[in-house]
Amino acid sequence: MSGGPRFRYYKAGMSRQITPVNLAGWIALTVWAVALVLMIWGISVSLRGLQDPIYRAGAVIGCSLLSMIWLVGGVLWMKARSEIIDADALYDRQKAKNGEGKR
């Protein structure tokens, strides 16, 4: 669609944030989120037909694992297509620059 990164990945201490940058990023995020919602909804609808508690528990565990794999995979996919901004490194650079200017 357009050139450049689709997302920005901000790192600051323990905080992490991925944000869509352009239309391609927003479309990718929307498709990913809609697929997640449809996957969970489909599994929850199919759970209604299961009467045995063991099958139900297995299906819930399977749904949870599948959701976690989808979430982690989506975050890693977005991170790979991100411009990474390290706020700590920027702060250190600014601090060093200001320290050099005072001497």
Side-chain angles (χ1 to χ4, degrees):
M1 290 194 173
S2 62
R6 296 179 186 179
F7 304 96
R8 282 207 182 96
Y9 179 75
Y10 297 99
K11 298 189 315 183
M14 295 297 292
S15 177
R16 305 289 187 260
Q17 180 179 352
I18 297 177
T19 306
V21 174
N22 53 25
L23 182 60
W26 281 105
I27 290 171
L29 179 64
T30 302
V31 168
W32 175 75
V34 167
L36 176 65
V37 169
L38 289 175
M39 177 179 57
I40 292 172
W41 178 77
I43 292 172
S44 68
V45 167
S46 67
L47 278 174
R48 294 181 188 152
L50 298 176
Q51 300 301 323
D52 190 357
I54 293 175
Y55 289 143
R56 252 180 197 257
V60 167
I61 290 169
C63 177
S64 299
L65 287 174
L66 188 61
S67 298
M68 289 304 296
I69 290 169
W70 186 259
L71 287 168
V72 170
V75 169
L76 292 175
W77 183 86
M78 288 180 217
K79 184 180 175 188
R81 286 152 181 79
S82 295
E83 170 189 10
I84 298 175
I85 299 173
D86 189 350
D88 294 331
L90 291 173
Y91 177 74
D92 291 342
R93 215 177 306 150
Q94 184 67 29
K95 193 171 156 184
K97 181 180 173 184
N98 289 341
E100 291 175 1
K102 292 182 179 179
R103 290 181 186 185

